């Protein structure tokens, strides 16, 4: 069963003029007039490609597009009756601009041959005018829609340059990951073929994690976000791309900035790290040894998350400090794993070890409040007991404890009413401050 919908696909046609012209093609096809549909379809394809090349030439200043238009104008002046410029236009769009690939060009040339057979009074052996079948007309329409009509002019061979210019401009606006995803999806990603996705991803990876030039350095964070958006959208295909060319993806700069950026990517997609070579693994492993924050940031280098949590707890007990934001990111990363059960206790212990009121405020905001919904009875009991022995009363004597611990008290009463809060006087005291 063919689920492809011509009518639905036609709603994605970019140019309103093309959409209006295509309605005639669809009307002919729907009525069973396949000869007329094919004749009109060729004209629509040529017109739409002309619109795209004109946009690249005049709106975007593309030199190759300008050259195509100049040659087309010259050829038409020399022989006004010739339609050879139509083929030249599509060939230039393929070879010089990359608006379509060679396979699409071959299919479109097949459409042109059927257009000629349908438009001219060529008599077959049966002495009837040639008429393409419904299946042939449908195949031509689908090719035209998928390869030309629904693809914007921006999908030229220079798409990566345009892509990078847009990301650079957006980096100054400080867009969040969600907003960047919406933008890239709307303008680029929904139009990318698998080949385009692979090509842009590889080029962006090299710019983000290898280049030390000033512009890539200034835009490294935004570029890394774009990589994450692309990989999340095309995880399966891009995983295969990385796997098939692991040495290339492992060739990154060893500067602290680049290593930190790769760490952010692997935190989001930890399954990619094992696919790469020691050229990237060894520098990241060395990075992880620098301090506790970097050790936790590089949790993805370990086979077992429980080993990371055990070492984290041991080092905190040994007096090492960890930024609240780093621990929050770690807990977010592993919240669906079995290791989160133990890690929540580490968060509670970290909070209870706060050295100042301000630190306790920050710790609660980062490592307690976002994860209360994950607490089991044992975690609440550990929190309540911890308040009885917290370091220098920093966690329970601060003014914000009234609201913060009120959140804990409500969760306990709602979910575990059998837990007697009155057995924990220090915690009860914090509710009255």
């Amino acid at each position: 069963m063919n689920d492809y919908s011509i009518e639905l696909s036609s709603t994605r046609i970019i140019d309103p003029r093309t959409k209006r012209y295509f309605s005639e093609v669809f009307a002919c096809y729907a009525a069973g007039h396949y000869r007329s549909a094919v004749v009109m379809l060729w004209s629509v394809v040529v017109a739409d490609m002309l619109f795209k090349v004109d946009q690249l030439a005049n709106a975007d200043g593309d030199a190759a597009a300008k050259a195509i238009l100049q040659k087309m104008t010259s050829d038409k002046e020399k022989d006004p009756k010739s339609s050879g410029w139509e083929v030249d236009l599509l060939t230039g769009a393929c070879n010089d601009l990359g608006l379509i690939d060679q396979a699409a060009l071959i299919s479109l040339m097949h459409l042109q041959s059927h257009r000629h057979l349908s438009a001219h009074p060529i008599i077959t052996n049966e002495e009837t005018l040639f008429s393409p079948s419904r299946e042939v007309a449908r195949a031509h329409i689908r090719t035209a829609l998928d390869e030309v009509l629904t693809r914007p002019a921006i999908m030229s061979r220079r798409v990566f340059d345009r892509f990078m210019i847009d990301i650079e401009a957006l980096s100054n606006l400080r867009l969040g990951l969600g907003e960047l995803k919406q933008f890239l999806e709307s303008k680029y990603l929904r139009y990318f073929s698998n080949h385009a996705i692979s090509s842009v991803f590889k080029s962006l990876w090299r710019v983000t994690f290898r280049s030390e030039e000033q512009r890539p350095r200034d835009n490294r964070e935004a570029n890394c976000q774009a990589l994450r958006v692309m990989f999340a959208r095309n995880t399966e295909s891009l995983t295969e791309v990385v796997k098939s060319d692991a040495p290339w993806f492992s060739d990154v700069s060893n500067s602290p900035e680049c290593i930190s950026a790769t760490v952010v990517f692997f935190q989001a997609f930890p399954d990619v790290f094992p696919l790469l070579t020691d050229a990237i693994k060894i520098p990241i492993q060395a990075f992880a040894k620098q301090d506790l924050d970097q050790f936790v940031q590089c949790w993805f280098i370990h086979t077992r998350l429980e080993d990371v949590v055990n070492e984290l707890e041991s080092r905190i007990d040994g007096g090492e400090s960890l930024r609240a934001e780093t621990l929050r990111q770690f807990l977010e990363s592993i919240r669906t794993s079995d290791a989160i059960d133990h890690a929540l206790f580490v968060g509670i212990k970290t909070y209870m070890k706060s050295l100042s009121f301000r630190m306790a405020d920050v710790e609660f905001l980062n490592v307690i409040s976002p994860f209360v919904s994950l607490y089991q009875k044992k975690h609440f009991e550990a929190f309540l007991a911890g308040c009885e022995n917290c370091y220098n009363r920093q966690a329970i004597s601060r003014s914000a404890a009234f609201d913060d611990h009120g959140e804990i008290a409500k969760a306990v009463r709602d979910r575990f009413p059998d837990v007697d809060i009155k057995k924990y006087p220090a915690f009860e005291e914090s509710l009255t401050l």
Side-chain angles (χ1 to χ4, degrees):
M1 179 178 179
N2 194 332
D3 294 328
Y4 185 84
S5 170
I6 292 175
E7 189 170 15
L8 180 61
S9 295
S10 69
T11 64
R12 297 187 289 109
I13 294 175
I14 307 298
D15 194 293
R17 296 166 294 181
T18 301
K19 186 173 291 188
R20 186 171 66 253
Y21 299 153
F22 183 81
S23 66
E24 298 180 41
V25 176
F26 184 71
C28 291
Y29 173 80
H33 305 319
Y34 306 126
R35 180 190 302 113
S36 299
V38 167
V39 171
M40 185 62 188
L41 181 64
W42 171 255
S43 298
V44 173
V45 167
V46 173
D48 187 71
M49 190 60 76
L50 183 59
F51 298 152
K52 288 178 168 61
V53 175
D54 182 71
Q55 178 184 331
L56 290 173
N58 296 313
D60 299 340
D62 191 296
K66 289 181 179 180
I68 291 173
L69 291 182
Q70 289 171 355
K71 183 178 185 304
M72 183 184 74
T73 301
S74 175
D75 290 345
K76 289 178 68 176
E77 289 175 351
K78 292 177 182 177
D79 189 356
K81 295 182 179 180
S82 173
S83 61
W85 65 268
E86 297 176 351
V87 173
D88 290 342
L89 174 65
L90 294 182
T91 302
C94 174
N95 297 333
D96 300 329
L97 297 175
L99 285 171
I100 54 176
D101 59 26
Q102 286 291 335
L105 180 61
I106 292 172
S107 295
L108 293 174
M109 291 302 97
H110 190 45
L111 165 63
Q112 188 212 30
S113 68
H114 277 173
R115 180 265 174 200
H116 287 339
L117 289 172
S118 299
H120 300 294
I122 299 175
I123 307 301
T124 66
N125 291 335
E126 291 80 19
E127 295 191 1
T128 59
L129 288 173
F130 172 81
S131 179
S133 67
R134 179 180 184 277
E135 290 72 24
V136 168
R138 180 180 177 83
H140 284 318
I141 291 172
R142 181 169 183 174
T143 296
L145 284 168
D146 292 351
E147 300 297 337
V148 182
L149 309 184
T150 60
R151 301 183 68 182
I154 201 169
M155 291 296 106
S156 71
R157 183 169 293 142
R158 295 161 183 80
V159 65
F160 181 69
D161 295 335
R162 301 171 185 274
F163 191 83
M164 293 300 297
I165 289 171
D166 276 341
I167 294 177
E168 181 176 2
L170 291 174
S171 69
N172 298 322
L173 300 178
R174 303 292 181 183
L175 295 187
L177 189 62
E179 293 171 308
L180 180 63
K181 177 181 178 181
Q182 286 181 301
F183 172 82
L184 294 180
E185 177 67 27
S186 175
K187 189 168 184 179
Y188 291 101
L189 301 184
R190 64 177 175 155
Y191 303 113
F192 276 0
S193 64
N194 287 336
H195 175 75
I197 283 284
S198 172
S199 177
V200 172
F201 183 79
K202 289 186 70 172
S203 297
L204 184 58
W205 181 283
R206 179 55 58 93
V207 169
T208 306
F209 299 139
R210 180 67 183 173
S211 177
E212 288 298 336
E213 296 180 5
Q214 190 60 47
R215 287 181 67 181
R217 290 176 61 187
D218 292 341
N219 299 300
R220 205 182 305 279
E221 181 178 354
N223 291 342
C224 190
Q225 284 186 322
L227 281 173
R228 290 169 60 188
V229 168
M230 293 183 69
F231 198 89
R233 187 182 187 278
N234 304 275
T235 302
E236 185 175 347
S237 63
L238 288 179
T239 295
E240 290 303 314
V241 171
V242 173
K243 188 184 300 184
S244 65
D245 202 358
W248 193 93
F249 283 95
S250 301
D251 182 20
V252 303
S253 168
N254 291 328
S255 72
E257 281 186 356
C258 283
I259 293 298
S260 294
T262 60
V263 166
V264 171
F265 180 86
F266 293 133
Q267 287 172 344
F269 307 103
D271 292 340
V272 176
F273 184 74
L275 304 178
L276 302 178
T277 72
D278 286 345
I280 192 172
K281 289 181 178 179
I282 290 175
I284 289 180
Q285 289 164 353
F287 175 86
K289 294 178 181 179
Q290 300 303 308
D291 57 40
L292 187 55
D293 271 274
Q294 291 177 197
F295 166 79
V296 174
Q297 289 169 13
C298 297
W299 56 267
F300 53 83
I301 71 177
H302 298 272
T303 304
R304 296 180 66 251
L305 281 172
E306 190 61 36
D307 292 339
V308 180
V309 178
N310 287 336
E311 183 170 345
L312 169 60
E313 183 174 35
S314 175
R315 292 173 66 168
I316 289 176
D317 289 342
E320 291 189 61
S321 60
L322 177 70
R323 290 190 308 116
E325 174 66 12
T326 300
L327 183 53
R328 183 194 65 77
Q329 291 174 350
F330 175 60
L331 294 176
E332 288 285 2
S333 296
I334 69 169
R335 67 183 300 148
T336 59
S337 74
D338 293 338
I340 190 64
D341 184 80
H342 184 183
L344 292 175
F345 287 115
V346 178
I348 294 170
K349 181 180 292 188
T350 302
Y351 170 63
M352 298 304 170
K353 285 178 170 286
S354 298
L355 301 177
S356 68
F357 292 153
R358 174 58 183 160
M359 181 181 291
D361 288 344
V362 173
E363 296 286 0
F364 189 91
L365 180 65
N366 280 276
V367 304
I368 302 297
S369 184
F371 307 101
V372 170
S373 62
L374 302 179
Y375 279 17
Q376 301 173 39
K377 182 178 180 179
K378 60 186 177 181
H379 296 112
F380 284 115
E381 290 177 334
F383 186 96
L384 297 173
C387 288
E388 305 305 306
N389 303 293
C390 67
Y391 180 83
N392 202 25
R393 297 178 59 86
Q394 301 296 336
I396 62 173
S397 296
R398 60 197 176 91
S399 59
F402 176 81
D403 291 322
D404 291 346
H405 288 190
E407 178 185 344
I408 299 296
K410 183 179 186 306
V412 171
R413 295 187 184 109
D414 290 346
R415 296 171 54 195
F416 303 103
D418 58 317
V419 175
D420 187 0
I421 292 178
K422 293 181 179 179
K423 291 182 178 180
Y424 305 95
F427 178 78
E428 274 204 306
E429 179 186 342
S430 71
L431 300 177
T432 62
L433 294 176

